[in-house]
Amino acid sequence: MIWPAEAIWEAVAPVLPGFTVEVLPEIDSTNTELMRRARKGVLEPVLLVAERQSAGRGRLGRQWESDTEGLGGTLTFSLGLPLAPADWSGLSLAVGLSVADSLHPDLRLKWPNDVWLQERKLAGILIETASVGDVRYAVIGIGVNITPRDGVGLRTPPAALTEVLPGVDAPAALERIALPLVQAVQRFVDQGFAPLRQPFHGRDCLYGREVVCGDGMTGQARGVDAGGALLVHTASGLKKISSAEVSVRPLAP
């Protein structure tokens, strides 16, 4: 594959000094690699792309299956950069909103970090941080299904970007996402999540639906608050779910 590394660098570098782009044919995980570098004191902003991942990771320790044959069936990359927002709450929602806005109007967001297409998972987000001295380094990992894939063994069936963007490939998808993502993260640092609450509701696939949480709690999803916490109306009142470690899924109709 031919990656638009130079075009992305030219677009992003003016707004993110010191920024670089790296494309690797294979690695265990782009998130894992950037976290390793950060712990060694390598804290420059970077976009790291892998054509194949042998040990991709998702939220709650789940495995993210990438394109083992390197044929462009998935896009896997991580953005690493030092961040110092006043409040980190809602960052994964801001990232998901940026990805969806960059790709297609039909995409929806499932709290806290998935992009869905017609009740199926199109993309996932994993955010990790490392504190090195006075610097907190954020690693924002994103995986996108580009072409249809096998859904055997997956709780949520997979969707593919080519369903709504026929002919798109992984490099083209990355070029759509990269600059808006950096700009969205920078706005989040300056403004927090609150200004994004209504735009998020416009893409919220859980809003108004009956949901079940990992602890067995059920209720009706009522969107998110100004900090990005999920609001669920239960039999005992309105509950806030702020931990991304809690699994939430819609109940079958």
Side-chain angles (χ1 to χ4, degrees), residues 67-104:
D67 187 8
T68 55
E69 299 301 322
L71 300 179
T74 59
L75 167 64
T76 52
F77 70 94
S78 297
L79 172 67
L81 72 172
L83 285 187
D87 186 351
W88 289 80
S89 302
L91 177 56
S92 67
L93 308 188
V95 170
L97 186 60
S98 175
V99 171
D101 286 348
S102 296
L103 293 178
H104 199 274

Side-chain angles (χ1 to χ4, degrees), residues 59-60 62 110-111 155 206 209-221 230-234 239-243 245-251:
R59 193 171 65 94
L60 304 177
R62 297 174 181 141
K110 177 188 171 291
W111 187 94
R155 170 182 284 184
L206 297 180
R209 299 175 65 177
E210 295 296 316
V211 297
V212 59
C213 303
D215 59 4
M217 181 181 75
T218 61
Q220 186 183 70
L230 180 67
L231 304 175
V232 180
H233 190 269
T234 73
K239 304 292 184 182
K240 286 187 179 184
I241 301 175
S242 57
S243 172
E245 298 305 305
V246 177
S247 176
V248 179
R249 57 188 174 87
L251 285 171

